[in-house]
Amino acid sequence: MNHYIKSIVFLLTIGFTSCFPKKEEKTTNPTKPKLVIGIVVDQMRYDYLTRFEKKYGDGGFKRLLKNGFSLENAHFNYIPTYTAVGHTSVFTGTTPSHHGIIGNNWYDKFEKKSIYCVDDNNYKTVGNEGNGGKKSPYRMLTTTVTDQLKLAQNMQGKTIGIGIKDRSAILPAGHTANGAYWFDGGSKGQWISSSFYMDALPKWVADFNNSGVADEYLKQPWETLYDISTYTESIADDNNYENTFKGEEKPTFPHDIPNLRSKNNNYSIIKAIPAGNSLTTDFAKAAIIGENLGKGEFTDFLTLSYSSTDYVGHQFGVDSKEIQDTYLRFDKELESLLLFLDKQVGKDNYTIFLTADHAAVQVPSYLQSVKIPANYLSSGKLLNYVNSITKQYFNSEDFIENISNFQIFLNKENIEKKKLSVEKVAEVINENIINYKGIYKSVTAKTLQRTEFNKGILNHLQNGYNQKFSGDVLLIPNPSTIIYSKKGSTHGSGYSYDTHVPIIFYGNGITKGSSKKHYEIIDIAPTVSNLLEIEFPNGSSGKIVDEIFK
């Protein structure tokens, strides 16, 4: 009888519950990754993914794209698109208007001098007796996703920052990192750090420095990975748009690195060849093993910046055989790193995002050769023109304190001595500078404070404007117009060639797919924060990319 009653109750229960819709199952990832790796490729245009696709192997970019989630229409949403600004914006989830890093170098209107984003004389070099380690992230005013992870875990878990460039190692790792390491070139050839993080290098770093790896890479000439005749996606190797290494007659393959080394600042040459990326991968693997990343109870974070791509792009330009070879070799680096992570951390235990800190313009002199509008500006001539404006209207040529990063800083003391309004002087310059050939738009700081630009390039300018640190008049040059040498390439604008970069998520918690929706670089940090179920960085202004989640 008891069995019969139980059966009736069971059937009634089924009938009762079937009257109601099923509760939607929660789709969040049940286990968080043990290790997050944030990869920033310095000066990577989005079209490097598509342009060189046929020559990539299956284990690098293609593996990430096939098994991860790619944002195909992702952009930076501010000006200027420089290295320090890019790395900071990726990890803080906000723009220079909030995080305060407005350039690599910028004119400090309080100290009356040009400053470097991570210089800090309160600390000393750890690793050698040089000055390369007098650094810290103190100029970055907001937290990073790496900081938020440490806070959420009650300061447990490890954060390690790695990059050949100091700013690329320091800023992503945040204020609470266990360590940040960068490569000290010249005669040193060592990975170093700052006393901001530690008093002495860990044994694994010292062992790596003593291993002679850097020297081994510099014993080999830089030759193309594949037959150079197959590099049909790039322009002729011998052209007039590329810079040579010191000691070279032509900017062509092969580059005799062993013999060029002494004329190109010794160990520093490794930064400007693909071997610099290989050295970075080697050091990252040593860090993962040495720090036991991904092995503990808490989630660890490795920020990893590949900078040789930027040095090569600056020297040879985005259409060169050198940049193509650098990316084909970098594809191999990615494959090596992914296989290492599979074995060392476990396939299901890590999450990666890969992006860039900015893209780059095609060499303007090359664009001119194919009849595309492009130009060069002279910083000296620009300063003379601005002085001519103040001379004409105010009979003074000492109103300009500094012009840099397409920003004009006014000398407020000299203006006030003439009993003039700073705002009035700025407005007169603004109205007249637009007549200068190559300047497309000009906006005063006051306009940016009083007007909200919701879209377009003026919105980018506004997002990059910081009321406390930025200049009094901000300029936008014409497309493909730069202040730079006529050989090699650069970046910094708000145009798509500088803003359009890859964003790929891969690994634990990430679904497969792609999106053509417009996303911004500041969306990465809140998205990773959501994956880790932690608070967003405290200045975050991005949104969650919910398409990427399983």
Side-chain angles (χ1 to χ4, degrees), residues 19-66:
C19 296
F20 295 90
K22 258 187 175 182
K23 186 176 180 182
E24 188 177 339
E25 293 182 5
K26 193 174 182 180
T27 58
T28 54
N29 190 30
T31 57
K32 296 178 187 176
K34 302 298 290 182
L35 176 62
V36 178
I37 306 100
I39 299 175
V40 179
V41 188
D42 204 326
Q43 200 189 121
M44 183 176 182
R45 291 164 56 107
Y46 176 82
D47 66 356
Y48 291 158
L49 284 179
T50 55
R51 203 169 117 209
F52 307 137
E53 177 191 9
K54 292 180 181 178
K55 291 184 172 61
Y56 289 142
D58 293 327
F61 285 119
K62 286 183 178 178
R63 175 177 169 181
L64 294 180
L65 291 169
K66 181 181 178 181

Tab-separated table of all heavy atoms in Angstrom, residues 19-66:
chain	number	residue	atom	x	y	z
A	19	CYS	N	2.485	21.575	-15.547
A	19	CYS	CA	1.617	22.707	-15.852
A	19	CYS	C	2.383	24.014	-15.922
A	19	CYS	O	1.866	25.030	-16.367
A	19	CYS	CB	0.511	22.834	-14.778
A	19	CYS	SG	-0.596	21.415	-14.748
A	20	PHE	N	3.612	23.999	-15.449
A	20	PHE	CA	4.407	25.226	-15.385
A	20	PHE	C	5.611	25.111	-16.321
A	20	PHE	O	6.132	24.014	-16.532
A	20	PHE	CB	4.900	25.464	-13.945
A	20	PHE	CG	3.775	25.724	-12.984
A	20	PHE	CD1	3.162	24.661	-12.321
A	20	PHE	CD2	3.307	26.994	-12.772
A	20	PHE	CE1	2.113	24.907	-11.453
A	20	PHE	CE2	2.276	27.240	-11.895
A	20	PHE	CZ	1.664	26.196	-11.227
A	21	PRO	N	6.040	26.236	-16.885
A	21	PRO	CA	7.219	26.182	-17.758
A	21	PRO	C	8.459	25.807	-16.962
A	21	PRO	O	8.564	26.099	-15.773
A	21	PRO	CB	7.324	27.613	-18.300
A	21	PRO	CG	6.607	28.451	-17.305
A	21	PRO	CD	5.518	27.592	-16.750
A	22	LYS	N	9.380	25.154	-17.658
A	22	LYS	CA	10.638	24.755	-17.033
A	22	LYS	C	11.453	25.977	-16.651
A	22	LYS	O	11.527	26.932	-17.405
A	22	LYS	CB	11.459	23.914	-18.010
A	22	LYS	CG	11.410	22.432	-17.721
A	22	LYS	CD	12.390	21.724	-18.633
A	22	LYS	CE	12.439	20.257	-18.258
A	22	LYS	NZ	13.411	19.524	-19.084
A	23	LYS	N	12.056	25.932	-15.490
A	23	LYS	CA	12.942	27.020	-15.088
A	23	LYS	C	14.193	27.003	-15.950
A	23	LYS	O	14.797	25.957	-16.176
A	23	LYS	CB	13.326	26.853	-13.613
A	23	LYS	CG	14.124	28.033	-13.077
A	23	LYS	CD	14.392	27.841	-11.603
A	23	LYS	CE	15.197	29.013	-11.051
A	23	LYS	NZ	15.503	28.833	-9.622
A	24	GLU	N	14.551	28.176	-16.479
A	24	GLU	CA	15.728	28.262	-17.346
A	24	GLU	C	16.990	27.924	-16.572
A	24	GLU	O	17.205	28.403	-15.463
A	24	GLU	CB	15.853	29.681	-17.921
A	24	GLU	CG	16.931	29.797	-18.964
A	24	GLU	CD	16.976	31.191	-19.573
A	24	GLU	OE1	15.960	31.910	-19.489
A	24	GLU	OE2	18.032	31.542	-20.129
A	25	GLU	N	17.803	27.040	-17.161
A	25	GLU	CA	19.027	26.622	-16.491
A	25	GLU	C	20.072	27.726	-16.567
A	25	GLU	O	20.202	28.412	-17.567
A	25	GLU	CB	19.575	25.355	-17.154
A	25	GLU	CG	18.661	24.152	-16.950
A	25	GLU	CD	19.246	22.897	-17.576
A	25	GLU	OE1	20.390	22.981	-18.061
A	25	GLU	OE2	18.584	21.862	-17.579
A	26	LYS	N	20.822	27.856	-15.506
A	26	LYS	CA	21.891	28.846	-15.475
A	26	LYS	C	23.033	28.375	-16.368
A	26	LYS	O	23.446	27.224	-16.307
A	26	LYS	CB	22.386	29.034	-14.044
A	26	LYS	CG	23.269	30.256	-13.860
A	26	LYS	CD	23.607	30.456	-12.389
A	26	LYS	CE	24.442	31.697	-12.197
A	26	LYS	NZ	24.793	31.912	-10.781
A	27	THR	N	23.527	29.268	-17.234
A	27	THR	CA	24.541	28.868	-18.202
A	27	THR	C	25.931	29.369	-17.839
A	27	THR	O	26.846	29.296	-18.636
A	27	THR	CB	24.168	29.398	-19.603
A	27	THR	OG1	24.052	30.817	-19.538
A	27	THR	CG2	22.879	28.787	-20.092
A	28	THR	N	26.062	29.920	-16.650
A	28	THR	CA	27.381	30.431	-16.277
A	28	THR	C	28.366	29.288	-16.086
A	28	THR	O	27.993	28.166	-15.753
A	28	THR	CB	27.318	31.260	-14.983
A	28	THR	OG1	26.695	30.470	-13.971
A	28	THR	CG2	26.503	32.520	-15.204
A	29	ASN	N	29.610	29.591	-16.286
A	29	ASN	CA	30.656	28.589	-16.157
A	29	ASN	C	30.795	28.158	-14.699
A	29	ASN	O	31.012	28.990	-13.820
A	29	ASN	CB	31.971	29.187	-16.664
A	29	ASN	CG	33.052	28.143	-16.792
A	29	ASN	OD1	32.765	26.983	-17.041
A	29	ASN	ND2	34.294	28.559	-16.647
A	30	PRO	N	30.670	26.858	-14.410
A	30	PRO	CA	30.701	26.415	-13.008
A	30	PRO	C	32.062	26.571	-12.336
A	30	PRO	O	32.145	26.699	-11.132
A	30	PRO	CB	30.304	24.938	-13.099
A	30	PRO	CG	30.674	24.529	-14.489
A	30	PRO	CD	30.457	25.744	-15.334
A	31	THR	N	33.129	26.532	-13.116
A	31	THR	CA	34.463	26.674	-12.527
A	31	THR	C	35.197	27.817	-13.197
A	31	THR	O	35.259	27.904	-14.419
A	31	THR	CB	35.277	25.375	-12.699
A	31	THR	OG1	35.357	25.050	-14.077
A	31	THR	CG2	34.609	24.225	-11.954
A	32	LYS	N	35.776	28.672	-12.401
A	32	LYS	CA	36.539	29.797	-12.941
A	32	LYS	C	37.896	29.297	-13.427
A	32	LYS	O	38.418	28.300	-12.936
A	32	LYS	CB	36.747	30.859	-11.856
A	32	LYS	CG	35.471	31.501	-11.351
A	32	LYS	CD	35.799	32.499	-10.244
A	32	LYS	CE	34.528	33.019	-9.598
A	32	LYS	NZ	34.827	33.926	-8.461
A	33	PRO	N	38.491	30.001	-14.371
A	33	PRO	CA	39.838	29.603	-14.823
A	33	PRO	C	40.848	29.737	-13.691
A	33	PRO	O	40.725	30.617	-12.839
A	33	PRO	CB	40.128	30.583	-15.951
A	33	PRO	CG	39.235	31.761	-15.696
A	33	PRO	CD	37.999	31.190	-15.074
A	34	LYS	N	41.845	28.897	-13.719
A	34	LYS	CA	42.929	28.975	-12.734
A	34	LYS	C	43.957	30.036	-13.128
A	34	LYS	O	44.704	30.524	-12.298
A	34	LYS	CB	43.611	27.617	-12.581
A	34	LYS	CG	42.688	26.482	-12.174
A	34	LYS	CD	42.046	26.710	-10.821
A	34	LYS	CE	43.029	26.605	-9.691
A	34	LYS	NZ	42.387	26.781	-8.360
A	35	LEU	N	43.969	30.345	-14.427
A	35	LEU	CA	44.912	31.343	-14.923
A	35	LEU	C	44.268	32.123	-16.065
A	35	LEU	O	43.679	31.535	-16.973
A	35	LEU	CB	46.201	30.671	-15.429
A	35	LEU	CG	47.259	31.576	-16.073
A	35	LEU	CD1	47.775	32.600	-15.074
A	35	LEU	CD2	48.406	30.743	-16.647
A	36	VAL	N	44.361	33.444	-15.996
A	36	VAL	CA	43.940	34.313	-17.092
A	36	VAL	C	45.198	34.921	-17.702
A	36	VAL	O	46.076	35.410	-16.980
A	36	VAL	CB	42.995	35.434	-16.608
A	36	VAL	CG1	42.605	36.348	-17.780
A	36	VAL	CG2	41.750	34.839	-15.964
A	37	ILE	N	45.291	34.871	-19.031
A	37	ILE	CA	46.433	35.467	-19.729
A	37	ILE	C	45.902	36.559	-20.652
A	37	ILE	O	45.127	36.278	-21.574
A	37	ILE	CB	47.224	34.437	-20.559
A	37	ILE	CG1	47.645	33.247	-19.691
A	37	ILE	CG2	48.464	35.084	-21.178
A	37	ILE	CD1	46.765	32.034	-19.852
A	38	GLY	N	46.277	37.793	-20.379
A	38	GLY	CA	45.892	38.912	-21.227
A	38	GLY	C	47.044	39.247	-22.160
A	38	GLY	O	48.071	39.774	-21.721
A	39	ILE	N	46.896	38.922	-23.449
A	39	ILE	CA	47.952	39.133	-24.429
A	39	ILE	C	47.666	40.406	-25.220
A	39	ILE	O	46.588	40.547	-25.808
A	39	ILE	CB	48.064	37.943	-25.400
A	39	ILE	CG1	48.399	36.658	-24.637
A	39	ILE	CG2	49.119	38.214	-26.476
A	39	ILE	CD1	48.397	35.412	-25.505
A	40	VAL	N	48.624	41.318	-25.227
A	40	VAL	CA	48.526	42.536	-26.033
A	40	VAL	C	49.662	42.519	-27.049
A	40	VAL	O	50.835	42.468	-26.679
A	40	VAL	CB	48.605	43.805	-25.161
A	40	VAL	CG1	48.534	45.050	-26.044
A	40	VAL	CG2	47.478	43.828	-24.133
A	41	VAL	N	49.297	42.537	-28.327
A	41	VAL	CA	50.281	42.560	-29.402
A	41	VAL	C	50.456	44.010	-29.828
A	41	VAL	O	49.512	44.657	-30.268
A	41	VAL	CB	49.833	41.695	-30.598
A	41	VAL	CG1	50.964	41.586	-31.628
A	41	VAL	CG2	49.403	40.306	-30.125
A	42	ASP	N	51.658	44.509	-29.684
A	42	ASP	CA	51.938	45.926	-29.919
A	42	ASP	C	51.888	46.235	-31.422
A	42	ASP	O	52.617	45.650	-32.207
A	42	ASP	CB	53.327	46.246	-29.357
A	42	ASP	CG	53.505	47.713	-29.020
A	42	ASP	OD1	52.941	48.547	-29.727
A	42	ASP	OD2	54.237	48.011	-28.051
A	43	GLN	N	51.010	47.151	-31.800
A	43	GLN	CA	50.842	47.633	-33.178
A	43	GLN	C	50.287	46.560	-34.111
A	43	GLN	O	50.737	46.407	-35.243
A	43	GLN	CB	52.158	48.197	-33.742
A	43	GLN	CG	51.966	49.122	-34.941
A	43	GLN	CD	53.235	49.513	-35.639
A	43	GLN	OE1	53.404	49.248	-36.816
A	43	GLN	NE2	54.140	50.181	-34.921
A	44	MET	N	49.261	45.827	-33.668
A	44	MET	CA	48.648	44.820	-34.533
A	44	MET	C	47.360	45.335	-35.152
A	44	MET	O	46.363	45.548	-34.471
A	44	MET	CB	48.365	43.524	-33.771
A	44	MET	CG	47.804	42.438	-34.681
A	44	MET	SD	47.565	40.862	-33.863
A	44	MET	CE	46.958	39.881	-35.257
A	45	ARG	N	47.389	45.514	-36.461
A	45	ARG	CA	46.178	45.846	-37.209
A	45	ARG	C	45.281	44.605	-37.296
A	45	ARG	O	45.764	43.477	-37.365
A	45	ARG	CB	46.547	46.291	-38.630
A	45	ARG	CG	47.251	47.627	-38.715
A	45	ARG	CD	47.911	47.818	-40.074
A	45	ARG	NE	46.988	47.681	-41.194
A	45	ARG	CZ	46.543	48.694	-41.939
A	45	ARG	NH1	46.931	49.936	-41.670
A	45	ARG	NH2	45.727	48.484	-42.953
A	46	TYR	N	43.956	44.830	-37.361
A	46	TYR	CA	43.046	43.697	-37.498
A	46	TYR	C	43.322	42.923	-38.782
A	46	TYR	O	43.257	41.689	-38.811
A	46	TYR	CB	41.582	44.154	-37.481
A	46	TYR	CG	40.637	43.001	-37.724
A	46	TYR	CD1	40.279	42.162	-36.680
A	46	TYR	CD2	40.155	42.719	-39.004
A	46	TYR	CE1	39.450	41.066	-36.901
A	46	TYR	CE2	39.334	41.624	-39.238
A	46	TYR	CZ	38.988	40.809	-38.182
A	46	TYR	OH	38.178	39.723	-38.400
A	47	ASP	N	43.655	43.647	-39.856
A	47	ASP	CA	43.791	42.968	-41.140
A	47	ASP	C	45.014	42.052	-41.225
A	47	ASP	O	45.154	41.310	-42.194
A	47	ASP	CB	43.757	43.957	-42.311
A	47	ASP	CG	44.937	44.918	-42.348
A	47	ASP	OD1	45.767	44.888	-41.425
A	47	ASP	OD2	45.007	45.719	-43.308
A	48	TYR	N	45.878	42.053	-40.211
A	48	TYR	CA	46.948	41.061	-40.193
A	48	TYR	C	46.369	39.652	-40.010
A	48	TYR	O	46.974	38.662	-40.430
A	48	TYR	CB	47.953	41.346	-39.082
A	48	TYR	CG	48.802	42.580	-39.295
A	48	TYR	CD1	49.406	43.226	-38.223
A	48	TYR	CD2	49.015	43.107	-40.558
A	48	TYR	CE1	50.192	44.357	-38.403
A	48	TYR	CE2	49.797	44.240	-40.749
A	48	TYR	CZ	50.377	44.857	-39.675
A	48	TYR	OH	51.157	45.974	-39.871
A	49	LEU	N	45.203	39.547	-39.369
A	49	LEU	CA	44.549	38.251	-39.220
A	49	LEU	C	44.086	37.714	-40.569
A	49	LEU	O	44.176	36.512	-40.840
A	49	LEU	CB	43.338	38.359	-38.290
A	49	LEU	CG	43.581	38.452	-36.791
A	49	LEU	CD1	42.260	38.581	-36.061
A	49	LEU	CD2	44.353	37.241	-36.290
A	50	THR	N	43.564	38.598	-41.404
A	50	THR	CA	42.994	38.167	-42.683
A	50	THR	C	44.018	38.175	-43.809
A	50	THR	O	44.004	37.303	-44.682
A	50	THR	CB	41.806	39.069	-43.053
A	50	THR	OG1	42.220	40.447	-43.047
A	50	THR	CG2	40.685	38.909	-42.033
A	51	ARG	N	44.920	39.148	-43.798
A	51	ARG	CA	45.883	39.308	-44.887
A	51	ARG	C	46.855	38.131	-44.979
A	51	ARG	O	47.207	37.677	-46.066
A	51	ARG	CB	46.651	40.613	-44.673
A	51	ARG	CG	47.272	41.187	-45.933
A	51	ARG	CD	47.759	42.601	-45.655
A	51	ARG	NE	49.195	42.703	-45.795
A	51	ARG	CZ	49.961	43.549	-45.135
A	51	ARG	NH1	49.437	44.356	-44.235
A	51	ARG	NH2	51.247	43.593	-45.338
A	52	PHE	N	47.278	37.631	-43.824
A	52	PHE	CA	48.272	36.557	-43.797
A	52	PHE	C	47.652	35.198	-43.481
A	52	PHE	O	48.374	34.227	-43.224
A	52	PHE	CB	49.358	36.870	-42.769
A	52	PHE	CG	49.998	38.229	-42.935
A	52	PHE	CD1	50.258	39.035	-41.828
A	52	PHE	CD2	50.323	38.715	-44.191
A	52	PHE	CE1	50.839	40.289	-41.972
A	52	PHE	CE2	50.906	39.971	-44.358
A	52	PHE	CZ	51.164	40.758	-43.241
A	53	GLU	N	46.327	35.132	-43.515
A	53	GLU	CA	45.622	33.930	-43.054
A	53	GLU	C	46.109	32.655	-43.729
A	53	GLU	O	46.319	31.621	-43.075
A	53	GLU	CB	44.120	34.101	-43.302
A	53	GLU	CG	43.304	32.882	-42.915
A	53	GLU	CD	41.869	32.962	-43.404
A	53	GLU	OE1	41.551	33.880	-44.187
A	53	GLU	OE2	41.076	32.089	-43.010
A	54	LYS	N	46.304	32.684	-45.031
A	54	LYS	CA	46.649	31.464	-45.763
A	54	LYS	C	48.017	30.915	-45.370
A	54	LYS	O	48.308	29.736	-45.616
A	54	LYS	CB	46.609	31.731	-47.265
A	54	LYS	CG	45.202	31.995	-47.797
A	54	LYS	CD	45.216	32.252	-49.287
A	54	LYS	CE	43.808	32.547	-49.802
A	54	LYS	NZ	43.794	32.842	-51.263
A	55	LYS	N	48.839	31.750	-44.777
A	55	LYS	CA	50.188	31.305	-44.425
A	55	LYS	C	50.332	30.988	-42.931
A	55	LYS	O	51.405	30.554	-42.498
A	55	LYS	CB	51.218	32.345	-44.868
A	55	LYS	CG	51.335	32.421	-46.392
A	55	LYS	CD	52.409	33.366	-46.844
A	55	LYS	CE	52.625	33.265	-48.351
A	55	LYS	NZ	51.448	33.600	-49.138
A	56	TYR	N	49.288	31.242	-42.153
A	56	TYR	CA	49.331	30.856	-40.739
A	56	TYR	C	49.137	29.346	-40.617
A	56	TYR	O	48.438	28.720	-41.421
A	56	TYR	CB	48.235	31.566	-39.945
A	56	TYR	CG	48.451	33.055	-39.735
A	56	TYR	CD1	47.382	33.950	-39.782
A	56	TYR	CD2	49.718	33.565	-39.468
A	56	TYR	CE1	47.577	35.308	-39.574
A	56	TYR	CE2	49.917	34.926	-39.268
A	56	TYR	CZ	48.833	35.791	-39.317
A	56	TYR	OH	49.030	37.133	-39.116
A	57	GLY	N	49.753	28.774	-39.579
A	57	GLY	CA	49.516	27.366	-39.277
A	57	GLY	C	48.195	27.179	-38.569
A	57	GLY	O	47.436	28.132	-38.344
A	58	ASP	N	47.892	25.953	-38.171
A	58	ASP	CA	46.615	25.660	-37.518
A	58	ASP	C	46.652	25.857	-36.009
A	58	ASP	O	45.604	25.881	-35.361
A	58	ASP	CB	46.189	24.217	-37.819
A	58	ASP	CG	45.855	24.015	-39.291
A	58	ASP	OD1	45.354	24.974	-39.910
A	58	ASP	OD2	46.115	22.903	-39.812
A	59	GLY	N	47.866	26.003	-35.440
A	59	GLY	CA	47.961	25.980	-33.983
A	59	GLY	C	48.037	27.322	-33.298
A	59	GLY	O	48.021	27.387	-32.063
A	60	GLY	N	48.146	28.439	-34.053
A	60	GLY	CA	48.278	29.760	-33.450
A	60	GLY	C	47.007	30.571	-33.566
A	60	GLY	O	46.007	30.300	-32.898
A	61	PHE	N	47.046	31.599	-34.453
A	61	PHE	CA	45.868	32.438	-34.636
A	61	PHE	C	44.639	31.612	-35.027
A	61	PHE	O	43.537	31.857	-34.547
A	61	PHE	CB	46.132	33.500	-35.707
A	61	PHE	CG	47.010	34.633	-35.265
A	61	PHE	CD1	48.216	34.883	-35.890
A	61	PHE	CD2	46.623	35.461	-34.217
A	61	PHE	CE1	49.022	35.936	-35.489
A	61	PHE	CE2	47.417	36.521	-33.806
A	61	PHE	CZ	48.625	36.753	-34.445
A	62	LYS	N	44.838	30.635	-35.913
A	62	LYS	CA	43.701	29.850	-36.386
A	62	LYS	C	43.076	29.026	-35.262
A	62	LYS	O	41.855	28.817	-35.240
A	62	LYS	CB	44.128	28.954	-37.549
A	62	LYS	CG	44.332	29.711	-38.857
A	62	LYS	CD	44.674	28.766	-39.997
A	62	LYS	CE	44.817	29.533	-41.311
A	62	LYS	NZ	45.198	28.638	-42.436
A	63	ARG	N	43.883	28.544	-34.359
A	63	ARG	CA	43.329	27.808	-33.217
A	63	ARG	C	42.467	28.731	-32.359
A	63	ARG	O	41.370	28.362	-31.944
A	63	ARG	CB	44.455	27.203	-32.376
A	63	ARG	CG	43.946	26.536	-31.101
A	63	ARG	CD	45.059	25.886	-30.309
A	63	ARG	NE	44.581	25.480	-28.990
A	63	ARG	CZ	45.325	24.890	-28.051
A	63	ARG	NH1	46.602	24.616	-28.312
A	63	ARG	NH2	44.812	24.575	-26.881
A	64	LEU	N	42.969	29.934	-32.110
A	64	LEU	CA	42.192	30.888	-31.309
A	64	LEU	C	40.888	31.247	-32.000
A	64	LEU	O	39.828	31.325	-31.365
A	64	LEU	CB	43.014	32.152	-31.062
A	64	LEU	CG	44.270	32.026	-30.205
A	64	LEU	CD1	44.957	33.387	-30.079
A	64	LEU	CD2	43.950	31.465	-28.825
A	65	LEU	N	40.954	31.460	-33.314
A	65	LEU	CA	39.761	31.865	-34.061
A	65	LEU	C	38.767	30.716	-34.202
A	65	LEU	O	37.548	30.924	-34.129
A	65	LEU	CB	40.163	32.374	-35.444
A	65	LEU	CG	40.929	33.698	-35.468
A	65	LEU	CD1	41.504	33.953	-36.850
A	65	LEU	CD2	40.039	34.851	-35.045
A	66	LYS	N	39.256	29.508	-34.391
A	66	LYS	CA	38.380	28.349	-34.575
A	66	LYS	C	37.675	27.954	-33.281
A	66	LYS	O	36.488	27.602	-33.285
A	66	LYS	CB	39.194	27.167	-35.106
A	66	LYS	CG	38.361	25.909	-35.344
A	66	LYS	CD	39.236	24.764	-35.856
A	66	LYS	CE	38.420	23.498	-36.051
A	66	LYS	NZ	39.273	22.362	-36.528
